[in-house]
Amino acid sequence: MNEEPLILAFCCHYCAYAAADLAGSMRLQYPGNVRVLRLPCTGKLEVNYILAAFERGVDGVIVAGCLEGGCHFMEGNLRARRRVERARQLLAEIGLEPDRLEMFNLSSAEGTRFAEIATIMVERVKRLGRSPLRLDPKRIEHGVQEISRQAEVMLAGEKR
């Protein structure tokens, strides 16, 4: 954990999370240092959540939503793409490489593609090196767990 980059993947419940689940069901290999968080829709992901992940010490962030034009919430993934671009601008302004953050669109049937995306992002972040905001590994895991709890609360709110 100390040398491997930690990647946080914010995934849409309907497509990207299902693709990650499919990758697991297919027993596809992808790096174990990618933490998958389920969101009702990537359109619910605010810029401050993305920045909070970096602030808590993650080395890279994946935002994975439905295919463009196929969002279950009409335009959620388009909203997310705009927010990801804004977050990339802010990362550059504070001196972090914008390439540490990327948005991908995939369907629930693309388990293989999810595994490829996870591998690509881990390799990219390895080339970039550790985040200068990286904390003690235990504190990073605690931060990721806190973000995960917030995502679950958000998801539970959608089910009401």
Side-chain angles (χ1 to χ4, degrees):
M1 165 76 189
N2 286 348
E3 299 306 316
E4 289 295 313
L6 180 62
I7 310 294
L8 191 56
F10 290 103
C11 294
C12 156
H13 168 75
Y14 293 98
C15 290
Y17 187 82
D21 190 45
L22 179 60
S25 297
M26 295 171 67
R27 300 195 191 296
L28 298 175
Q29 296 294 314
Y30 65 88
N33 47 330
V34 175
R35 303 294 190 279
V36 178
L37 298 180
R38 181 174 53 143
L39 298 175
C41 175
T42 54
K44 297 286 267 182
L45 185 62
E46 299 287 341
V47 171
N48 61 328
Y49 289 134
I50 297 168
L51 298 179
F54 285 106
E55 182 181 25
R56 287 180 167 91
V58 301
D59 298 298
V61 172
I62 297 169
V63 177
C66 298
L67 294 172
E68 287 198 23
C71 179
H72 288 73
F73 292 95
M74 307 283 278
E75 296 180 2
N77 55 5
L78 301 176
R79 243 185 339 270
R81 182 157 306 279
R82 288 190 300 269
R83 291 175 181 162
V84 165
E85 287 308 313
R86 177 66 182 134
R88 287 174 57 91
Q89 292 170 352
L90 292 170
L91 288 175
E93 288 176 20
I94 64 170
L96 279 176
E97 300 90 346
D99 286 345
R100 291 181 182 275
L101 169 62
E102 189 74 42
M103 179 158 181
F104 297 92
N105 300 91
L106 60 160
S107 77
S108 60
E110 293 183 290
T112 303
R113 182 150 184 261
F114 180 85
E116 290 169 357
I117 288 167
T119 302
I120 287 167
M121 281 300 289
V122 167
E123 291 304 315
R124 178 189 299 176
V125 172
K126 279 183 180 178
R127 283 191 306 276
L128 293 171
R130 287 178 121 170
S131 169
L133 303 175
R134 185 147 188 191
L135 309 166
D136 167 6
K138 289 179 186 172
R139 289 185 57 205
I140 295 171
E141 286 298 330
H142 177 70
V144 169
Q145 289 171 2
E146 180 59 32
I147 293 170
S148 181
R149 278 191 292 276
Q150 291 172 356
E152 287 299 321
V153 167
M154 187 188 308
L155 189 62
E158 290 294 312
K159 291 180 181 175
R160 290 185 192 165

